[in-house]
Amino acid sequence: MSEEFPHPGTAAYAGRVLVRRRLALHWSQQQLIHHMRHLSADELPADESLRKMISKWEHGAKSPSGFYRALLCASLGLKVGDLRLPPVTVAYRPYRPAPRHPPTGDGPPSGAVRPLSPGSGRAGPVERRADPYPRAA
């Protein structure tokens, strides 16, 4: 009697793909961690933390983030699409312009660069202007 394979698009499906590929390579989780560290340009968490994360991904308890999807697939020789997970959505913070008058009244530091305004496509040095609300001495 064979096990039922999970539905594509689920963490369980991706986990099954990851564990089958790792075992096909005859790798332990520790060997996978070694290959991940070798390929990653970024610093990764401690081995024990990575091992717990890999275990959760392989058991389908969690889905790897976009960074780890790419790193796992590169380490195991898979394509990211082989995991059949939904695309990762990236949340961007909305543009929030700098206040016109800093609360201290001192203005921006010298050499400061004004932030890009939407659609301007340029940044430049901040002009120092006289404070329209001078402090009383």
Side-chain angles (χ1 to χ4, degrees), residues 29-34 36-37 40 42-55 57 67-68 71:
Q29 287 181 342
Q30 191 59 43
Q31 288 170 307
L32 175 57
I33 290 169
H34 173 77
M36 289 170 66
R37 287 196 186 287
S40 179
D42 295 336
E43 189 172 332
L44 298 176
D47 283 4
E48 185 58 26
S49 179
L50 275 176
R51 193 198 59 72
K52 287 178 183 178
M53 289 169 33
I54 290 170
S55 180
W57 297 330
F67 170 78
Y68 285 109
L71 186 55

